Every structure is written in structure tokens, then in C-alpha cells.
Amino acid sequence: MSHPRPRILAIDDTPANLLTLGAALESDFDLQVATSGPMGLSMAMKAPPDVILLDVMMPEMDGYETCRRIMADPALARIPVIFITALTEIDDERAGLALGAADYITKPINVEIARQRIRNLLERERLRKEVEHHRDHLEALVQARTLALSIAREAAEAANRAKSTFLGNMSHELRTPLHGIMGMTELASRRATDPKQQDQLTKVMQSSQRLLAVINDILDIANIEAARITLDAVDFELGRVLETSRNLTARSAAEKGLTLVIDAAPELVRRRLHGDAQRLGQILFHLTGNAIKFTTEGSVTVIVALTEETATEVLLRVEVQDTGIGISAKDQTQLFTPFEQADGSMTRHYGGAGLGLALCKRLAEAMGGRIGVESRPGEGSVFWFTVRLGRGAEVLDDAIAPSTLSAEAELQARFAGTRVLVVQDAPISRDVSRGLLEDAGLRVDLAGDGAVAVEMARQTDYALILMDIQMPRMNGIEATLAIHAIPGRAQTPILAVTASVSGEDKARCRAVGMKDFIAQPTDPEILFATILRWLDRPQTPTTERLA
């Protein structure tokens, strides 16, 4: 494939010079000539050449002025200019180069040297254009890639928002009917007198709790994978977390004839810490429950200790020891992977979705700790984890008024007849809440949505309001703002009671002044204890408990 010859424009007022130059260069280049600066400029503008050869001494417009005008024209400024002149002073050459000339050749012309210099300039110009082409192409690629990344990021953000919405809706849709099942079972159990019926209802409740645990694990894993998991930061007493874990697992241990031991120093049990008590209890519950599941005889021991302590935080270490079947070194490598178990057959023999340990690992890491296992087949296992927690505010002993009554009994004894409002759109959920609260001696009014609740709160000064979040017409967030805007209702304790339990939900509740957050399905004792806490104290800032 032939390439067009480079075009050279020679500007010189002496025809003899042009004839000599043309004879020397015409074999390699397409030479055009101009006999003055204005003529050369006109020709260059009409058909820009590849190189301009420019004489210095010319009438009307000398070479310096011609070069200056060439460089001032954006269409011509990048064309290499070579001065050809009889002037040999250094200052003359400096002046030409200062105007932007690429080279400077003195007369008489050495044709071979001139030809080589022209070739060098043409090659340099070719490389420059090639680099510019690649640069422009690269810039276009970068712009296209940046646009593609921006579109992909927006799509990913939209997908995350959709996923977050889906998880929130799924949590609500799964928990709401389960709340009805568990709540009605609880109410039926309270009124059942036939032992066989009581046993059947107990088994319904146990199955429901197992289903709830699986649902919670699935939603928590999904939230963690979507980077939506949030940790509470509240003061709590470590002993209460340990006691809750014992209460949740003691029955299953007793049914298998296992000894369940909690080994913690008394001063540690009474210790107040700062962090997410619910997540800590979740890890402890999973590890203890697993130990009981895979142990047929012997014991399960939970050992709790502080391994580090500074002025602001502590490192808590918990070990769960069992005398169960043990785990091989090979199987231990996949224990903390979602949906994995040490042996696939365990899914049928022992049950479980393979989510608990993976969730424990992610929660422990989210709380600044680690998790691990030490085990041999037939010799039992030791699962351990660490978490970093803050130091809780100390409470003076004389400020504590312990009671031997349950929260429900205290409500019956001290707040019987107290008027409260339950705001929920699901009829079954309303019936469950009313049944439990009336059993505790409270006087209960019901509202099916936020708009009705606002009007009822305007007419009645309720001691406390339990507010669902997701409702038609007016949701719980809007209703809370409207109620607190009613004269005399700004300090009414409003507690969120909802099947939506994401961090975003808690943040929204906190932002509008809700005092606390109760997740559904609701443990009756937690419901009673939370209500008691807010009926039993003077009004405090709205962020105290909803952290």
C-alpha cells in the first residue's frame, strides 16, 4: 500500500534558491513554493503542509513575522517550521527558535543534511500525531469506561436499595404472621387447663421459636452480605445476657439429660458493659444451642472472662465446651461458611440450615473480635469467640431496687388500670397485644392506623403508646410526629412495636422521638419489662434506649 509523499511548503523571495531546493527535494517530497510571507500564509491556510521551509530575509513580511503568524493560527501552529537563511549569528538563530521554529539551517544549504533534518522532523511529527491519536482514543475509552462505571454504580446502588427494601418487606411479611401464631399460642397456653393441651401448645411454641431463629439467621446473613447490619450501643448488664441465654437453652439441655453450666465470676456477672447486648446474646445462643444439639450425654459449659481491659473498653472471651461428637480437622475448615455443615448428612440427622456459625463469625468480627474452634472426633469441642465492648456506666448499689416479681406481676401490682394505646394495622397482632396487656392489668385501647391513633391521642392522655411502623393511611413515623406535636403530648412515651427490625428502621424511630423498639414476634416478658421500664420512670431524653 503506497503512502502519499510528505508535502513541503518553501517560502523564499529568491527564485534561484527555490529552484535549487526543489531540484534537491522533489524526489522525496511534494514541494510547493511561495515567494513571499503573505503568499505562503495563504497557501498554508488553504492546504496545510507537513513542513514549512522559511527564509528569514524577505521584503514586505520577513520570516520572523511570517513564523509568528503561523504560530498564532491554531490550524497551523503544530506544523514544523525550519528557518533557512544566510544569517549566521547566534542571536538570529535564537530569535527564530524562540518564535517556535523546529530547526534552523544556514545557507549555502547542504542538501543531504537538509533532507535528513526534514525526514527527522517528519518522523517526529508522525510520532507526535500517533501519540495524540492514542491519547485521544484513550481519553475516549476512559470517558466511555467512566460512564459505564457510573451507570453500573447507579445500577448497583439501585439494586442495593431494592434489596434493602425487599429485606425490610420480607422481614415484615415473615414476622407478622409468625407473631400472630406465637402470640395466639401464648394466649391459649395461659388459659389452657388440660395437661395434654398445654403440652401441645408448648410444642407449637417451640417449633415457632425454631422457625423464628431460622428466619432471623437468614435475614441477618442477607443484611450482613448487603452491608446493612448495624450494632446497637447501649449499656447492659452482662449477667442478664447470660441468664437470657440460659433460659433459652436450658429446656433443650434438660430434655437430653445434659448439665448446662455458666462459669463466670460474680463480679463479671454484675459488670455493666456498653455495646450490642442482643448480638452478643445471639452468638452465645447459637454456640450453646449447637453444643447441646451435638452432645448426647455429659455437659455443656459456658466460660466467660475478660482477657483485656483499658480505661474505655474490654475484650470479652467466651468459650462453649461440650462433651459431644467432636469435629475432624478437615471439617473444621468449612464450619464458618454459610450453608455448610461438618457433614451434609447432619442436615437430616441433626437439623439446621448451616447459617448459625457463619452468622456468629460475621457478628463477632463486626464487634471487633474473632471466633474459632478446637475439637477432635469423639472428644467434644470448644467453640470460642471474643468481642470488644465499652465500659458501661457504673450504677450505685443503693440506686438499684431489685424485685422478686416478674415484670408482668409488677405491672399488675403497680399499674393496674393504666391506660395505654396499641396502634397496629394487623387485626391478629392487635388482638395478641390486647390479650397480653390486659393479662398484665392494663387498660388497652386499639387503633388500626396512624391517623386514628392521632385523633385518639388528641382526646386521651395515654400513659404509653405502642406504635407499629408500617401502616396504611398514616405510618408510625408520621403518627409519632403528629402526636408529639399535640399540646401536652410531647413527652408521651411512644414505643415502636414492629416486625421490621433493620438498623434503618431503628434510626428512623430514634429520629422522630420514639423511646424504645420492640421487635415482633415479641417475647411477652420482654414486652412487659419494656413497658414497665417506661411507666416506672420520669420522662427522659428520647435517645436513651433506642440506640
Side-chain angles (χ1 to χ4, degrees):
M1 181 178 178
S2 60
H3 297 279
R5 295 195 304 170
R7 296 175 61 254
I8 295 178
L9 174 62
I11 306 174
D12 195 320
D13 66 326
T14 305
N17 292 339
L18 295 173
L19 290 174
T20 302
L21 196 59
L25 300 178
E26 64 181 357
S27 62
D28 296 322
F29 308 106
D30 181 8
L31 182 67
Q32 296 178 322
V33 296
T35 56
S36 69
M39 181 180 178
L41 282 171
S42 177
M43 293 176 65
M45 290 177 183
K46 291 179 181 179
D50 296 305
V51 176
I52 296 175
L53 303 180
L54 181 60
D55 188 18
V56 174
M57 303 298 294
M58 294 186 296
E60 187 181 351
M61 183 187 294
D62 64 15
Y64 293 145
E65 179 59 25
T66 303
C67 182
R68 185 178 293 110
R69 296 192 183 191
I70 289 172
M71 296 301 164
D73 189 327
L76 306 177
R78 304 302 294 269
I79 299 174
V81 174
I82 301 177
F83 276 116
I84 298 179
T85 180
L87 300 175
T88 59
E89 297 293 331
I90 295 296
D91 287 344
D92 295 319
E93 183 174 352
R94 182 185 299 115
L97 295 175
L99 289 171
D103 208 341
Y104 198 95
I105 300 176
T106 58
K107 300 176 182 178
I109 298 174
N110 184 314
V111 174
E112 289 302 321
I113 290 178
R115 182 183 287 110
Q116 191 58 50
R117 286 188 172 184
I118 291 171
R119 286 174 176 165
N120 289 347
L121 280 174
L122 288 170
E123 177 62 15
R124 190 172 71 187
E125 185 65 9
R126 183 189 69 80
L127 293 174
R128 182 190 67 78
K129 290 180 178 179
E130 188 174 309
V131 169
E132 280 191 350
H133 172 73
H134 285 302
R135 183 199 64 199
D136 293 342
H137 180 60
L138 181 60
E139 288 179 352
L141 288 176
V142 169
Q143 290 176 355
R145 183 60 178 160
T146 301
L147 178 61
L149 288 173
S150 177
I151 293 172
R153 185 185 67 237
E154 290 176 2
E157 291 174 350
N160 278 337
R161 288 193 295 271
K163 189 173 184 179
S164 297
T165 300
F166 171 78
L167 288 173
N169 291 336
M170 186 57 62
S171 173
H172 187 272
E173 293 305 313
L174 289 172
R175 290 170 180 271
T176 297
L178 191 55
H179 173 65
I181 294 170
M182 297 178 71
M184 287 299 180
T185 303
E186 171 69 23
L187 291 175
S189 297
R190 288 166 172 261
R191 290 156 178 77
T193 57
D194 179 58
K196 184 176 181 179
Q197 185 182 41
Q198 288 180 333
D199 179 64
Q200 292 171 337
L201 291 171
T202 298
K203 290 175 179 176
V204 172
M205 183 62 76
Q206 289 173 344
S207 297
S208 299
Q209 289 171 342
R210 182 175 176 181
L211 177 59
L212 177 61
V214 173
I215 291 173
N216 287 339
D217 287 351
I218 293 173
L219 293 174
D220 279 339
I221 283 287
N223 280 323
I224 290 173
E225 296 298 337
R228 294 180 68 246
I229 196 73
T230 56
L231 298 177
D232 284 343
V234 297
D235 284 357
F236 65 92
E237 192 174 278
L238 181 58
R240 293 189 178 182
V241 176
L242 299 177
E243 187 61 27
T244 299
S245 178
R246 183 202 296 273
N247 291 340
L248 291 173
T249 55
R251 176 176 293 179
S252 56
E255 289 175 350
K256 299 183 72 173
L258 303 177
T259 302
L260 178 60
V261 178
I262 305 276
D263 184 0
E267 61 273 16
L268 182 57
V269 171
R270 296 190 296 270
R271 185 72 178 268
R272 288 179 63 80
L273 302 173
H274 187 80
D276 195 326
Q278 179 185 347
R279 298 301 185 185
L280 174 61
Q282 198 171 357
I283 301 173
L284 188 57
F285 168 74
H286 275 298
L287 296 187
T288 306
N290 270 1
I292 294 170
K293 181 192 300 183
F294 295 107
T295 302
T296 56
E297 59 181 3
S299 63
V300 172
T301 303
V302 179
I303 302 175
V304 187
L306 294 184
T307 58
E308 294 179 18
E309 185 169 4
T310 68
T312 58
E313 66 178 20
V314 300
L315 183 66
L316 185 72
R317 179 182 173 92
V318 179
E319 292 184 4
V320 180
Q321 303 176 354
D322 66 61
T323 57
I325 60 176
I327 309 165
S328 68
K330 177 183 177 181
D331 289 334
Q332 290 176 32
T333 60
Q334 62 185 12
L335 281 178
F336 299 101
T337 303
F339 314 109
E340 294 285 352
Q341 291 187 328
D343 184 345
S345 65
M346 289 183 180
T347 304
R348 293 183 298 273
H349 185 69
Y350 290 97
L355 290 173
L357 291 179
L359 178 60
C360 289
K361 180 177 186 293
R362 285 159 173 75
L363 290 177
E365 291 172 348
M367 297 173 73
R370 297 185 301 128
I371 193 169
V373 60
E374 300 167 9
S375 182
R376 289 183 181 179
E379 298 182 10
S381 304
V382 178
F383 281 85
W384 59 267
F385 71 93
T386 60
V387 292
R388 290 197 176 276
L389 301 165
R391 293 167 62 108
E394 295 298 329
V395 177
L396 297 177
D397 290 342
D398 57 7
I400 302 175
S403 172
T404 58
L405 298 176
S406 67
E408 181 179 4
E410 281 207 59
L411 286 174
Q412 293 170 340
R414 299 169 53 202
F415 295 100
T418 298
R419 199 166 184 180
V420 299
L421 175 63
V422 172
V423 188
Q424 289 182 319
D425 64 317
I428 295 177
S429 295
R430 288 200 301 270
D431 289 344
V432 169
S433 297
R434 178 172 60 184
L436 291 173
L437 298 182
E438 286 180 348
D439 281 356
L442 302 178
R443 182 180 173 187
V444 183
D445 289 343
L446 300 177
D449 62 57
V452 173
V454 172
E455 290 307 311
M456 293 180 69
R458 195 186 310 276
Q459 300 298 323
T460 303
D461 186 10
Y462 291 103
L464 181 140
I465 298 174
L466 299 178
M467 180 76 71
D468 194 4
I469 296 178
Q470 296 186 18
M471 293 182 293
R473 290 218 303 166
M474 179 183 287
N475 63 42
I477 301 298
E478 297 167 338
T480 296
L481 290 172
I483 291 171
H484 281 163
I486 298 172
R489 306 292 187 265
Q491 294 302 315
T492 299
I494 300 179
L495 315 185
V497 181
T498 176
S500 300
V501 293
S502 69
E504 291 88 343
D505 291 327
K506 289 188 177 183
R508 288 193 301 158
C509 293
R510 181 191 308 118
V512 299
M514 288 187 172
K515 300 286 189 179
D516 217 323
F517 193 98
I518 303 172
Q520 291 180 334
T522 306
D523 182 322
E525 194 58 30
I526 292 176
L527 174 67
F528 296 141
T530 306
I531 292 174
L532 176 63
R533 181 163 55 244
W534 288 103
L535 292 179
D536 197 29
R537 66 175 63 190
Q539 301 308 315
T540 55
T542 61
T543 58
E544 178 174 338
R545 288 289 306 173
L546 197 59

